[in-house]
Amino acid sequence: IPDYLSDSTKAKLKSSLSDFIKSPNITNYPFSDFKTDFFLQGDIVTGVPLPYWDASLGQFQTRLNSTCIVLSNTCDMDLKNPRIIPMDCVLAPISSLDRLEKTLLAMKVSDSKVANYIKSVKEYKVTNIFHIPIDENFKYSPHGHHGSYASLDKAFYIPRKALSSCTTLFSLNQFFSYLFTFQMSVHFCRFHDKVDRDENKCY
């Protein structure tokens, strides 16, 4: 727990982490009540030009006005931090879990497998997907059917200055930002990958 946090924030964070270990469902409001004039890691932003792979054309296309989550760290997003080379912003697209469920069922995946997969997503057990309790209209929906998710494996970048034209819908609170950082760490930084690189062995 960082020393710079207030005693009150530390206590709430410890309590939230303890509760999450007992039950991985997000039952408390996971977003910050404060609005900032700068971007934070984990911000959910809209108005993003999203590149996506069009398999029929074999090339990338762009979908305008998409909603995404900021993966880049907060310091890198701060325009007050001078950089020799201008920084870009890394984001991941956000989609509806209801739509994902329908896609899986259309692929003839069994009802039970789909249900178990969605359950794992909502319990933060799928490494490339981060569950977010907002509905298709990007409103907070703690008791909705499924909610939404960010696809960490579909990360892309836009110039940092281009992010300025986007609008922040939500910023994560202290606990939810920790959970987001853990999820990214597991997905991108697998220390125990069962590979001995010096011996060229996979276990």
Side-chain angles (χ1 to χ4, degrees):
I1 306 297
D3 290 336
Y4 60 78
L5 297 179
S6 68
D7 290 342
S8 174
T9 300
K10 288 179 184 177
K12 286 191 294 186
L13 178 55
K14 288 179 180 178
S15 176
S16 296
L17 289 170
S18 177
D19 290 342
F20 181 74
I21 290 171
K22 298 172 186 175
S23 173
N25 294 315
I26 303 299
T27 56
N28 295 323
Y29 188 69
F31 305 114
S32 173
D33 293 324
F34 300 101
K35 293 292 184 182
T36 63
D37 57 358
F38 50 88
F39 293 98
L40 303 173
Q41 184 179 62
D43 274 3
I44 297 170
V45 296
T46 192
V48 181
L50 168 69
Y52 68 95
W53 182 256
D54 189 323
S56 63
L57 297 176
Q59 63 185 28
F60 279 102
Q61 302 280 24
T62 302
R63 183 180 297 119
L64 300 177
N65 201 33
S66 296
T67 301
C68 300
I69 191 166
V70 176
L71 304 185
S72 295
N73 69 65
T74 301
C75 292
D76 286 343
M77 291 301 93
D78 189 351
L79 289 176
K80 296 177 182 177
N81 287 334
R83 307 285 183 178
I84 296 176
I85 300 176
M87 294 291 296
D88 291 322
C89 177
V90 182
L91 305 104
I94 294 174
S95 305
S96 162
L97 268 175
D98 283 320
R99 195 173 306 158
L100 175 61
E101 179 185 57
K102 291 174 183 176
T103 299
L104 293 174
L105 291 172
M107 294 167 56
K108 305 302 181 183
V109 179
S110 69
D111 291 357
S112 60
K113 282 188 176 181
V114 171
N116 287 334
Y117 184 75
I118 296 296
K119 182 175 182 292
S120 293
V121 168
K122 296 176 75 171
E123 292 179 348
Y124 301 90
K125 294 177 180 177
V126 179
T127 62
N128 65 308
I129 288 180
F130 183 71
H131 178 241
I132 307 170
I134 54 177
D135 63 21
E136 284 190 328
N137 297 314
F138 304 107
K139 303 293 184 182
Y140 174 55
S141 180
H143 306 298
H145 182 214
H146 288 323
S148 301
Y149 68 98
S151 300
L152 303 181
D153 59 318
K154 294 178 175 58
F156 66 99
Y157 78 91
I158 61 174
R160 170 59 187 83
K161 289 184 178 180
L163 189 66
S164 301
S165 63
C166 301
T167 302
T168 300
L169 299 178
F170 297 101
S171 290
L172 308 185
N173 67 14
Q174 197 69 51
F175 162 68
F176 210 39
S177 70
Y178 256 57
L179 185 60
F180 182 53
T181 302
F182 291 149
Q183 189 91 359
M184 284 199 294
S185 297
V186 172
H187 179 64
F188 290 111
C189 306
R190 197 73 61 89
F191 281 110
H192 301 287
D193 58 2
K194 297 185 178 181
V195 178
D196 185 332
R197 297 170 188 267
D198 289 346
E199 297 294 334
N200 194 30
K201 292 181 180 179
C202 295
Y203 298 95

